[in-house]
Amino acid sequence: MKIGLALSGGGARGIGHLGMIKALEDAGIKPDVISGTSAGSIVGSLYSDGYSPEEILDFVVNTKVLTALRPALTFKGLLKIDTLGDIMRKHLSHNSFSAMTIPLIVVATDIVKGESVYFREGELIKPIMASCCVPVFFSPVIIDKKVLVDGGVLDNLPVHVLKDECDFIIGLHTNPITDDFEVGRLKSVVERSLIMAINGNTTKSKEMCDFVIEPMQLGEYGGFDLGKAQEMFDIGYSYTKKKIPSLEKALEAADKTDE
């Protein structure tokens, strides 16, 4: 049975993906194909390149990959995402989708045409940069004359792209909405607004999954809470461990159906 793993965006909350993947590994569950948006594309690329969840956690914390971004001097966005590309080039073994040990799909949004763009061949790092290019915060990335921003704008949990090639799809969602938000600085209000808007496109994606793992506790963290990386890793791990028995039953039922 071919298993697909869809990784949502979520900024620093995407660190929760690592704990979830670790719990899946401990249960002997490994994906055959991975799709990822934004933070999910970073996690997915490193995992597909052979890094363990613990090694990726160390990478994220020590390189500050989610925050090491230079200010942009253009009207198109507040930050440039070039530094992300520099860091990924330094740590990925290859800048090519074909070199990944697990097939990977990275999602970005064509801001001109208003449609999702799915990358799975050719150069790897620039699509990751585009996938992480949150509107308002970052300047768009240009690939093949396409003006691209964060994949989460239209597809924050990229499930449908896996439907035709996978027998069972597991969705990992790290962007839950909680009701304990306190209005503060403009940046936090903008971030909260973006999360709420993006979550609108995940409802249908969740319904398309065979199994969804979504630790609601991750909603208590901000998109740049890298100082709490270990906490988010642990939340993802412990929550997923509790879900493993149900997941194994779902996998067994799907396997029997395929027979």
Side-chain angles (χ1 to χ4, degrees), residues 193-258:
S193 300
L194 287 170
I195 290 172
M196 293 174 68
I198 284 172
N199 264 302
N201 69 55
T202 62
T203 301
K204 186 173 292 186
S205 294
K206 290 177 188 176
E207 293 172 353
M208 294 172 67
C209 292
D210 296 288
F211 200 89
V212 177
I213 303 175
E214 181 183 37
M216 293 303 296
Q217 196 175 348
L218 289 175
E220 299 173 8
Y221 296 84
F224 294 96
D225 277 346
L226 277 177
K228 300 175 181 178
Q230 187 65 55
E231 292 178 27
M232 290 185 279
F233 181 98
D234 293 341
I235 287 169
Y237 181 80
S238 60
Y239 183 87
T240 304
K241 287 285 283 187
K242 294 175 184 176
K243 292 290 184 179
I244 291 298
S246 298
L247 174 55
E248 289 177 332
K249 287 181 181 178
L251 283 165
E252 183 179 349
D255 196 31
K256 288 181 179 177
T257 300
D258 289 341

Side-chain angles (χ1 to χ4, degrees), residues 138-247:
F138 304 131
S139 297
V141 173
I142 310 298
I143 300 177
D144 296 331
K145 298 183 180 180
K146 293 183 174 70
V147 183
L148 304 173
V149 297
D150 195 305
V153 172
L154 294 178
D155 195 357
N156 197 47
L157 185 63
V159 176
H160 84 86
V161 71
L162 299 173
K163 292 296 287 185
D164 290 339
E165 58 185 291
C166 297
D167 304 302
F168 193 96
I169 299 175
I170 302 170
L172 305 188
H173 190 246
T174 61
N175 234 11
I177 294 289
T178 58
D179 59 5
D180 59 351
F181 176 74
E182 294 183 10
V183 177
R185 293 180 301 171
L186 175 61
K187 183 177 178 181
S188 65
V189 174
V190 172
E191 181 184 342
R192 172 78 169 185
S193 300
L194 287 170
I195 290 172
M196 293 174 68
I198 284 172
N199 264 302
N201 69 55
T202 62
T203 301
K204 186 173 292 186
S205 294
K206 290 177 188 176
E207 293 172 353
M208 294 172 67
C209 292
D210 296 288
F211 200 89
V212 177
I213 303 175
E214 181 183 37
M216 293 303 296
Q217 196 175 348
L218 289 175
E220 299 173 8
Y221 296 84
F224 294 96
D225 277 346
L226 277 177
K228 300 175 181 178
Q230 187 65 55
E231 292 178 27
M232 290 185 279
F233 181 98
D234 293 341
I235 287 169
Y237 181 80
S238 60
Y239 183 87
T240 304
K241 287 285 283 187
K242 294 175 184 176
K243 292 290 184 179
I244 291 298
S246 298
L247 174 55

